[in-house]
Amino acid sequence: MIYRSFSLILSCGASLLLAQPVLACSVCFVAKKENLMAFFVTGVLLSLLPFVLVGGIGFWLYRQAKARRES
Amino acid sequence: MSITTRILESTHPHSQKIAANGIVGMLLFIATEVMFFAGLISAFIVTRAGVVWPPVNQPRLPVEATALNTLLLLASGLALWQANRAFGEFDGERTKKLLGLTIALGFCFVVIQGYEWLRLLSFGLTVQSSIYGAFFYMIVGTHALHAVVALLALGYCYLQFGHNDLPRTTFSATQIFWYFVVLLWPILYVLVYVL
């Protein structure tokens, strides 16, 4: 039992000490914070942009309809 | 009455449309184009993050010459804006002159860009030379393709206007496309050339 616990602790410790970033993504050229931040920022941009575009066109149509009604 | 109902009802022959089909169609097309360029820009930003950029042993881009070229493109957008005003005031002669000026300035932009490309190719910057070259030709080339198509559309408008057969919707939709080309370029210039 003690031997198993010791092996487990040793394995976990070794895993923590020897852990290295793995480039699992085909577009991850470098595993740096700048790269991670770029992924985050562009991800947010690409997620929100369609809502802004469709919302913008919708708002423009609403304004057109309002102007037509008032005139 | 909801906005959707009103749009649907606008297709009825006795109802008034709130926007021309051509303009709404062009706006939706521009929205897809914005997403396309956003994808290219995102890939470019992610690729260059955390690495030495531009890569060593690669030719530097002509920042100053392209800045002047950018002014030409912005001037063409301004000329088109004025052409639209003249069109609204039924000033045919002025509209034709300003539309011609827009096309001339846009044409100069494309020609100067092409000349810079030839110089960069002679310096060894090709699509296959590095990821730097690949992104440059992909992003700037796609914009240039849009500029050429928009110039053809403006040329069509110019010819139709000469025959007194240019519908307002066609002119407006073409304008939207050209403004997209003009306003997108400064963003690409700063991202690709300056930063």
Side-chain angles (χ1 to χ4, degrees):
Chain A
M1 185 67 184
I2 294 169
Y3 177 73
R4 282 185 68 184
S5 301
F6 180 73
S7 302
L8 188 66
I9 291 167
L10 197 67
S11 304
C12 290
S15 302
L16 287 171
L17 288 172
L18 300 173
Q20 291 288 319
V22 177
L23 307 182
C25 174
S26 60
V27 292
C28 297
F29 299 105
V30 283
K32 289 184 179 176
K33 277 193 174 179
E34 292 92 338
N35 200 246
L36 192 68
M37 185 54 75
F39 261 109
F40 177 73
V41 171
T42 55
V44 170
L45 174 79
L46 289 173
S47 302
L48 295 181
L49 204 51
F51 294 103
V52 174
L53 292 166
V54 174
I57 293 171
F59 182 69
W60 179 76
L61 285 171
Y62 169 74
R63 290 278 303 270
Q64 290 288 108
K66 196 178 172 188
R68 180 63 58 90
R69 194 171 59 241
E70 285 171 357
S71 66
Chain B
M1 188 189 292
S2 71
I3 187 88
T4 315
T5 314
R6 206 172 295 136
I7 293 167
L8 289 172
E9 283 192 354
S10 70
T11 56
H12 192 273
H14 298 298
S15 66
Q16 283 187 319
K17 283 186 179 179
I18 57 171
N21 291 346
I23 294 173
V24 176
M26 180 56 77
L27 286 173
L28 290 171
F29 173 68
I30 294 297
T32 63
E33 291 289 290
V34 168
M35 286 310 297
F36 172 69
F37 277 98
L40 284 178
I41 289 168
S42 297
F44 177 70
I45 289 171
V46 167
T47 303
R48 62 175 288 176
V51 297
V52 177
W53 199 271
V56 290
N57 299 326
Q58 286 293 302
R60 294 297 175 262
L61 301 175
V63 180
E64 293 83 9
T66 311
L68 290 171
N69 210 15
T70 304
L71 291 178
L72 282 181
L73 192 63
L74 292 174
S76 78
L78 199 64
L80 189 61
W81 181 267
Q82 291 298 323
N84 181 53
R85 284 185 65 180
F87 189 86
E89 292 164 3
F90 302 104
D91 190 345
E93 198 61 35
R94 194 155 174 265
T95 305
K96 199 170 182 182
K97 277 182 185 170
L98 286 165
L99 198 52
L101 180 66
T102 304
I103 295 166
L105 288 168
F107 185 73
C108 287
F109 171 81
V110 172
V111 168
I112 293 171
Q113 280 292 99
Y115 174 71
E116 292 297 344
W117 273 38
L118 289 175
R119 285 188 64 200
L120 286 168
L121 284 168
S122 68
F123 291 146
L125 186 71
T126 65
V127 175
Q128 292 175 324
S129 64
S130 66
I131 199 160
Y132 178 59
F135 265 114
F136 172 76
Y137 289 113
M138 172 61 96
I139 294 174
V140 179
T142 310
H143 179 267
L145 184 69
H146 281 75
V148 169
V149 172
L151 278 175
L152 290 173
L154 282 171
Y156 172 78
C157 284
Y158 185 81
L159 290 175
Q160 290 297 101
F161 189 75
H163 295 116
N164 290 323
D165 191 24
L166 178 62
R168 176 83 207 183
T169 306
T170 307
F171 189 41
S172 298
T174 310
Q175 278 184 77
I176 293 168
F177 192 39
W178 186 248
Y179 292 141
F180 166 70
V181 169
V182 170
L183 295 175
L184 176 67
W185 178 250
I187 299 168
L188 297 181
Y189 171 70
V190 170
L191 280 171
V192 177
Y193 286 80
V194 179
L195 294 179

